[in-house]
Amino acid sequence: METSLKTNRFITRGVLGALLLAGAVHSAMADQLDDIRKAGKIRVAIAMGTPLFSYADANLQPAGSDVDTATALAKDLGVKLELVQITNAARVPTLQAQRADLVIADLSITPERAKVVDFSIPYAVITIIVGAPKEIKVTGYDDLNGKTIGLTRATVNDTITTQLAKGAQIQRYEDDATLITSMVTGQIDIFSSTPSNLAEMIKRAPNRHLEQKFAQKDFDLGIAMNKDQPKLKEWVNNWVSTNQKNGKLNAIYKKYHGRDLPASVTKG
């Protein structure tokens, strides 16, 4: 009987300890905005090598609309910005591993991603297209049957092309920079990416006569964060809404992309 009571007390202590630990972890997660302010810095993950969104400028410094967005956000929060440079495929895993507080990396808001991370209201948009040399006829997904199409792994390009181009052979790359190089050097002839990446390909290989074949889809982009961060999410949403309404985010986007954000986004 005594042994049984000791065992029960031991189990009870273990359960209580686990509950207290879980509560402490939840509390720590819930206070991430406070922790950022106390630390005096915010870690923002950026997917480098994405033309117009995030890339290295002539001085090898990070530049692009996502970089400017992260810079403005950190300034308004009153903390130092620490950029965490990652690949496209590492955007969600970087958050889950707690290596960044936010991800501002042309990350499309999708139901699949929303199951594991939280998104702000849209801060920008991205258009997904299929492109190829002028002499190659591609007007829709059926024309991709039996052909190889290159794209960047773990992107909406990957998801939508895999779903709709079932007869194509898909060549996946770890980042946009490698995809661009493969097109420029003629390793592949057809790609799924963005107009900004097409512009970079044309700039680097004008002799390939590359062009957009058809638009796949427009996606809203969100600032991503871990779930169960209500204070952080509220602050980020308020920041995005304010800077959509005052025109700051539109100005950043237009500076690099040469066009305005759609009204559906700028209404904040």
Side-chain angles (χ1 to χ4, degrees):
M1 181 67 175
E2 185 178 346
T3 301
S4 178
L5 288 173
K6 288 181 178 179
T7 301
N8 288 337
R9 284 197 294 269
F10 178 78
I11 293 173
T12 301
R13 290 195 191 101
V15 171
L16 287 173
L19 290 172
L20 288 171
L21 179 60
V25 171
H26 178 77
S27 177
M29 290 287 288
D31 290 337
Q32 188 176 2
L33 179 61
D34 294 336
D35 291 342
I36 290 167
R37 284 175 165 150
K38 288 176 183 176
K41 71 175 182 179
I42 186 166
R43 302 168 301 160
V44 179
I46 300 282
M48 295 301 293
T50 305
L52 306 187
F53 285 98
S54 47
Y55 58 93
D57 65 14
N59 297 315
L60 301 181
Q61 296 301 308
S65 58
D66 278 346
V67 175
D68 281 11
T69 298
T71 301
L73 183 148
K75 180 180 179 181
D76 290 344
L77 185 54
V79 297
K80 179 181 177 182
L81 173 63
E82 179 181 316
L83 288 181
V84 181
Q85 299 185 22
I86 58 172
T87 63
N88 290 87
R91 290 175 295 185
V92 171
T94 296
L95 266 184
Q96 293 175 317
Q98 303 293 320
R99 293 195 297 268
D101 303 305
L102 299 175
V103 170
I104 304 178
D106 60 287
L107 192 61
S108 301
I109 302 171
T110 67
E112 294 78 17
R113 288 171 177 160
K115 292 176 183 177
V116 292
V117 299
D118 270 348
F119 284 102
S120 69
I121 60 175
Y123 74 95
V125 296
I126 193 168
T127 302
I128 306 304
I129 66 167
V130 168
K134 187 175 182 179
E135 65 270 17
I136 296 179
K137 180 185 176 182
V138 178
T139 59
Y141 291 105
D142 288 344
D143 292 330
L144 297 174
N145 290 338
K147 295 182 174 68
T148 297
I149 181 168
L151 47 78
T152 304
R153 186 189 306 278
T155 60
V156 288
N157 311 65
D158 192 348
T159 302
I160 195 170
T161 304
T162 299
Q163 290 175 346
L164 300 178
K166 296 188 182 299
Q169 297 294 319
I170 298 178
Q171 177 65 50
R172 294 176 173 83
Y173 296 92
E174 293 303 316
D175 53 47
D176 285 353
T178 309
L179 170 65
I180 291 169
T181 298
S182 295
M183 278 297 300
V184 167
T185 57
Q187 297 176 50
I188 54 173
D189 292 321
I190 306 172
F191 70 91
S192 169
S193 192
T194 64
S196 56
N197 283 346
L198 171 59
E200 181 67 15
M201 294 172 190
I202 293 172
K203 176 182 174 183
R204 290 171 54 180
N207 60 316
R208 294 218 68 195
H209 306 293
L210 300 174
E211 64 181 13
Q212 177 177 324
K213 296 300 183 178
F214 67 92
Q216 294 178 269
K217 193 173 181 180
D218 288 335
F219 286 91
D220 289 340
L221 302 180
I223 297 174
M225 65 207 82
N226 276 310
K227 287 188 174 294
D228 300 318
Q229 297 292 342
K231 292 175 66 176
L232 180 61
K233 184 176 182 178
E234 180 182 17
W235 189 92
V236 173
N237 273 338
N238 287 337
W239 182 84
V240 173
S241 179
T242 297
N243 288 282
Q244 289 291 18
K245 291 174 181 176
N246 66 23
K248 182 184 290 187
L249 284 172
N250 186 66
I252 289 173
Y253 190 81
K254 191 171 184 177
K255 172 184 175 182
Y256 291 95
H257 300 268
R259 61 190 176 104
D260 291 316
L261 289 167
S264 61
V265 171
T266 56
K267 66 183 180 181

